[in-house]
Amino acid sequence: MLVLLDRDGVINQDAPEGILRIEDFYVFPQALEAIAAFTKAGFHIAICTNQSAVGRGILPEATLNAMHEMLRQEAAKHGGKIDAFYFAPDVPHAATHRRKPGPGMLLEALAAFNAKPEETFMVGDMLRDIEAAHAAGCKKMLVRTGKGAQTEA
């Protein structure tokens, strides 16, 4: 079983320009609790996140990887395990099928974990997360953190 999670606004606080420095990477405590609960329930967890700041050259991939390693360690401290990270560096005007709302990252994760889309949840805070889940055939969950309350309205 697999759960796919968006990152910014779902797991960590978002910023209009994106999270560009590791010291600005604030993880929601409730997200760590949820990751731990999913882990204890036997789910694999994969993060699927658009990161156009990498494609724009304002976020080094090494910094992004350090953020993800920090997140993996924080999740482990709370009893959770993040199995994989997928990111799309595409800028919006040159998006590939990997950038949400495209389903590419989700399909990659489904294949890697041999997961059935109809049994897999995608959790996000934006319409594009929900659209990507729909395109991949996954179940959809909208959280109210990040842009979730605005998206719901």
Side-chain angles (χ1 to χ4, degrees), residues 6-9 14-16 48-52 88 90-92 98-103 105-106 122-136 140 142 147 151:
D6 177 45
R7 197 193 80 175
D8 299 334
D14 202 356
C48 297
T49 179
N50 289 346
Q51 293 296 322
S52 67
D90 315 355
V91 293
R98 292 187 78 247
R99 181 180 169 81
K100 294 178 287 179
M105 286 186 287
L106 285 66
M122 172 64 200
V123 181
D125 70 322
M126 296 181 68
L127 182 58
R128 67 181 174 207
D129 300 316
I130 302 307
E131 291 171 336
H134 179 76
K140 305 162 265 311
L142 181 70
K147 295 179 179 81
T151 300

Side-chain angles (χ1 to χ4, degrees), residues 11-138:
I11 295 174
N12 59 279
Q13 188 170 345
D14 202 356
E17 68 284 350
I19 305 301
L20 305 177
R21 302 177 322 148
I22 198 159
E23 47 275 1
D24 297 330
F25 191 64
Y26 171 76
V27 179
F28 299 131
Q30 66 270 32
L32 295 171
E33 293 168 12
I35 290 169
F38 282 131
T39 300
K40 289 173 186 162
F43 286 88
H44 289 287
I45 298 168
I47 309 301
C48 297
T49 179
N50 289 346
Q51 293 296 322
S52 67
V54 173
R56 290 180 288 154
I58 59 174
L59 174 63
E61 193 170 336
T63 302
L64 178 68
N65 291 337
M67 289 178 196
H68 290 170
E69 183 55 34
M70 183 186 85
L71 178 55
R72 192 184 302 268
Q73 290 174 12
E74 286 300 310
K77 287 178 190 174
H78 288 80
K81 180 182 178 195
I82 299 172
D83 297 287
F85 289 90
Y86 298 88
F87 78 95
D90 315 355
V91 293
H93 67 274
T96 67
H97 75 287
R98 292 187 78 247
R99 181 180 169 81
K100 294 178 287 179
M105 286 186 287
L106 285 66
L107 295 173
E108 288 174 31
L110 289 165
F113 290 93
N114 198 29
K116 296 178 181 176
E118 64 274 10
E119 297 175 356
T120 301
F121 281 95
M122 172 64 200
V123 181
D125 70 322
M126 296 181 68
L127 182 58
R128 67 181 174 207
D129 300 316
I130 302 307
E131 291 171 336
H134 179 76
C138 296

